[in-house]
Amino acid sequence: VAMPGLLLGDEAPNFEAETTQGRIRFHDFLGDSWGILFSHPRDFTPVCTTELGRAAKLASEFSKRNVKMIALSIDSVQDHLSWSKVRGEAPPPRRGGARGAALLRRPEEKPTRNIAQAPNYVFVFGPDKKLKLSILYPATTGRNFDEILRVVDSLQLTAYKKVATPVDWKPGDSVMVVPTLADEEAKKLFPKGVFTKDLPSGKKYLRYTPQP
């Protein structure tokens, strides 16, 4: 799925920017961690304010998953600092300046565009600095942080194990054995057992195993 200038598997731009935590270079900021970059149309927008507070409350959950968060809007770092005080909580570092916002803005969009029409992006990067997932929200719909945590759990599990996560999967649920893994190899790799679901076709390609 194409996002503005970035496709899944593309390397993150190694931009430099001023943030509420000082000047950063993005790859250095990520280090060996996973990273999530959120875009916001402007500071002090109501929906984004609720998201900022939710991100702050979930900071320990993201930290447990070795995920660093950073947010981006077109406003100045000083405005970002003022916005942080609205919630009275420590927010993720935020990058400032209209030039920086161009990274996430579609080419036809301008800083003066109607805020209600401005897209909000979620980019998830792996420790290899490559884009693993992107989600696009309209400005009128707040992001679902429970879902963002869920997909991070899925991305991290499937990055290191030869499994995939089925529809509506939650941590602790059974996972699917990837199709490229032969049955005999799967039995050795997953000692808790591999089972299949019966299908009307009789095919046995839906192979499950308890979460490793």
Side-chain angles (χ1 to χ4, degrees):
V1 177
M3 283 296 175
L6 285 178
L7 299 173
L8 295 182
D10 283 354
E11 186 173 278
N14 192 20
F15 59 80
E16 289 189 50
E18 295 294 339
T19 78
T20 51
Q21 295 184 8
R23 189 164 186 83
I24 67 161
R25 182 185 289 270
F26 190 50
H27 285 195
D28 293 339
F29 169 79
L30 291 178
D32 295 327
S33 300
W34 290 68
I36 300 183
L37 193 155
F38 301 95
S39 72
H40 298 288
R42 297 197 74 90
D43 295 350
F44 298 101
T45 51
V47 172
C48 293
T49 298
T50 65
E51 294 176 330
L52 180 67
R54 179 71 168 149
K57 287 179 179 177
L58 290 173
S60 63
E61 289 297 321
F62 285 104
S63 180
K64 281 193 304 187
R65 292 163 171 81
N66 192 30
V67 175
K68 293 181 177 179
M69 294 185 289
I70 187 166
L72 168 71
S73 87
I74 66 171
D75 293 311
S76 68
V77 171
Q78 187 56 50
D79 283 339
H80 294 339
L81 290 168
S82 299
W83 190 28
S84 302
K85 295 175 184 176
V86 172
R87 298 294 305 188
E89 297 163 341
R94 284 192 304 285
R95 178 184 171 201
R99 181 181 177 190
L103 171 70
L104 301 183
R105 184 178 295 116
R106 290 178 178 174
E108 70 272 14
E109 290 171 343
K110 306 296 181 186
T112 55
R113 183 173 175 162
N114 187 325
I115 293 299
Q117 296 177 336
N120 291 338
Y121 297 101
V122 179
F123 289 127
V124 180
F125 297 99
D128 59 0
K129 314 298 185 294
K130 292 183 179 179
L131 182 66
K132 306 300 182 183
L133 177 138
S134 59
I135 309 175
L136 171 63
Y137 288 81
T140 50
T141 299
R143 283 166 270 212
N144 185 328
F145 277 76
D146 291 332
E147 169 63 3
I148 292 170
L149 283 172
R150 188 191 78 90
V151 297
V152 166
D153 286 335
S154 173
L155 289 168
Q156 293 184 340
L157 176 63
T158 58
Y160 306 122
K161 304 291 183 179
K162 293 184 177 181
V163 298
T165 56
V167 62
D168 296 333
W169 175 86
K170 300 182 297 298
D173 291 350
S174 293
V175 295
M176 306 182 83
V177 178
V178 294
T180 54
L181 201 62
D183 287 339
E184 288 305 314
E185 189 179 356
K187 289 176 184 177
K188 294 176 184 176
L189 202 56
F190 304 113
K192 294 179 181 178
V194 176
F195 60 94
T196 60
K197 280 197 174 181
D198 293 330
L199 296 172
S201 66
K203 294 183 181 296
K204 301 290 185 181
Y205 68 94
L206 293 186
R207 300 179 298 169
Y208 289 81
T209 188
Q211 180 178 328

